[in-house]
Amino acid sequence: MALAGDGPLVVLIHGFPESWYSWRHQIPALVNAGYRVAAPDVRGYGGSDKPHAIAAYAIKDMSADIGGLIEALGAEQAVVVGHDWGAPIAYGTALFHPERVRAVAGLSVPHLGRGPVPIVELLRKMFKDRFFYQLYFQEPGVAEAELEADVRRSLRKIYTSIRVENPTGPGFLDRLADPERLPFWLTAADLDYFAGQFQDSGFRGPLNRYRNSERDFAQLAAVDGKLIEQPTAFLAGSLDHVLRMIPGVDMIELMRKQVADLRHVQLIEGAGHWLQQERPVDVNAALLSFLNGLAGDGHQRARLGRSS
C-alpha cells in the first residue's frame, strides 16, 4: 500500500488488472493539495492477502476491507475513489459502511444498483454463444493459465489493445492485438512494475472478483433500493467501452437514479478506460474540484482527519 500526506483521508481503490501503482499520478497531486492518501493493493493483488476461496472476493468482503482500512488508519471517515472494479468496491463501501464514507467517486464504471438479476446471468443472455471476456473468466483455472503464461505480454495486450484482432481466437488474449509500441501513458518501467506485481501474486484472486456475481447479487439484497446518500462524482473517458457495454442504455442516467447527490459528472474527451493513467491532469483537476467542494458541506476536516 502507498500511504502519504497529512490531512483529510482519501482512499484510492484500483481495478483489474492493476495495483496501487495505477494511482501514481494522483497520489502526489492530492498530497500536495493537503490530503492524506492511502492507495492499497486490494484483496488478491500485490502485497495484500490472497485467500484461495472464490467466496472471499464477494462485494461485502471487498467493501469491508476498505471500511476496515479507514478505521485502521485512525480516520473517522474518508473519501473513497475507485476505478474499474475499484468503483463498485467504493460504492459498496458507501452502502455497507456509510459511517466510514464521507463521499465517493467512481471512475469508468457507473453505479447501477443491484439490478433484477445477477450480472453474469444478464451477460449470458446478451452474448449467448458469443465470446465475452467476463464469461470466459468464470471457469477457475482457465484464464489464470492463459494470463500467467507470459505476464508482461498479457498486461501489455490488456492495457493497450483498442481493437479485437482475431474474433475467433480460442482465448482472451488471442483476440487482442499486440501493439508495436506502448502508448504514451505507459512506459516500459511502468509495465515492468505491474508485471512484477502479478508475477508474485498471480491472477486467481483478481479473477475471482468476476466469479462472485450471484453471491454479490444475494449480498446486495440488503441494500437494494437504497440510494448512495454521500456526495458522489463520476468520471469516464468518452471512448471507454464500459459505457457502451449494454447497447442503447445510458448508464450515467441510470446512475442518477441510484445516487442522491451526484454532484460531479465528467466525460473526458478522447480518453479510454485507463483513465487516471491516460489523463492524469484532467483526473487530478476533477478530483480536487470535487474534494475541495466538500469543504463547503461543513465538518470535512474534522471528520476526515486522523483521530489520533
Side-chain angles (χ1 to χ4, degrees):
M1 177 176 72
L3 182 63
D6 189 20
L9 179 62
V10 180
V11 178
L12 305 175
I13 312 168
H14 69 81
F16 174 91
E18 298 177 278
S19 79
W20 74 267
Y21 188 72
S22 66
W23 298 105
R24 62 194 177 277
H25 302 300
Q26 284 66 53
I27 295 169
L30 294 175
V31 168
N32 290 339
Y35 294 92
R36 187 184 189 207
V37 182
D41 289 329
V42 302
R43 182 182 295 218
Y45 289 78
S48 291
D49 291 342
K50 304 169 187 65
H52 186 77
I54 291 173
Y57 296 85
I59 191 63
K60 282 192 74 173
D61 296 274
M62 307 297 281
S63 301
D65 286 346
I66 303 304
L69 173 64
I70 295 167
E71 182 177 10
L73 292 175
E76 184 178 348
Q77 291 189 318
V79 176
V80 290
V81 181
H83 168 253
D84 186 79
W85 262 124
I89 295 171
Y91 305 140
T93 307
L95 289 168
F96 288 115
H97 305 277
E99 74 285 356
R100 292 291 175 196
V101 178
R102 171 66 183 86
V104 60
L107 276 65
S108 299
V109 176
H111 176 57
L112 304 181
R114 180 172 179 247
V117 296
I119 293 173
V120 70
E121 184 177 328
L122 176 63
L123 293 175
R124 288 183 179 125
K125 290 180 180 178
M126 286 175 56
F127 290 93
K128 297 180 181 178
D129 297 328
R130 291 179 292 148
F131 182 93
F132 187 66
Y133 72 100
Q134 293 192 27
L135 299 176
Y136 175 72
F137 289 170
Q138 294 302 307
E139 182 63 32
V142 175
E144 285 93 328
E146 183 183 11
L147 295 175
E148 291 169 7
D150 185 338
V151 170
R152 196 175 192 277
R153 174 178 175 269
S154 297
L155 295 176
R156 182 176 67 241
K157 280 194 159 196
I158 293 170
Y159 293 160
T160 63
S161 286
I162 59 174
R163 69 182 190 279
V164 174
E165 186 173 66
N166 178 14
T168 61
F172 173 54
L173 297 175
D174 298 306
R175 297 163 179 265
L176 302 181
D178 200 352
E180 295 181 1
R181 63 182 64 86
L182 295 176
F184 70 92
W185 55 267
L186 186 71
T187 69
D190 294 334
L191 184 58
D192 287 342
Y193 185 87
F194 282 121
Q197 295 286 88
F198 284 94
Q199 290 285 4
D200 294 336
S201 67
F203 283 85
R204 179 181 171 87
L207 288 165
N208 277 346
R209 180 82 276 274
Y210 289 92
R211 297 166 182 156
N212 274 281
S213 180
E214 289 94 345
R215 192 169 286 105
D216 288 353
F217 185 74
Q219 293 179 351
L220 288 168
V223 293
D224 191 21
K226 180 180 179 182
L227 299 180
I228 291 179
E229 298 288 346
Q230 298 92 331
T232 304
F234 179 70
L235 312 176
S238 65
L239 304 180
D240 197 328
H241 67 280
V242 172
L243 297 181
R244 298 185 294 277
M245 191 173 291
I246 305 176
V249 174
D250 187 329
M251 291 189 177
I252 295 177
E253 286 306 308
L254 285 182
M255 182 173 179
R256 293 185 190 279
K257 299 177 182 179
Q258 300 292 330
V259 176
D261 185 7
L262 184 58
R263 61 175 61 179
H264 187 109
V265 174
Q266 184 172 345
L267 286 179
I268 298 176
E269 191 63 34
H273 183 67
W274 313 103
L275 188 61
Q276 72 271 34
Q277 298 184 74
E278 293 182 44
R279 300 287 284 276
V281 173
D282 295 308
V283 169
N284 293 350
L287 289 178
L288 287 171
S289 176
F290 175 63
L291 289 167
N292 294 338
L294 297 174
D297 294 343
H299 307 299
Q300 182 204 24
R301 295 272 162 181
R303 293 179 61 79
L304 280 107
R306 290 180 293 176
S307 60
S308 57

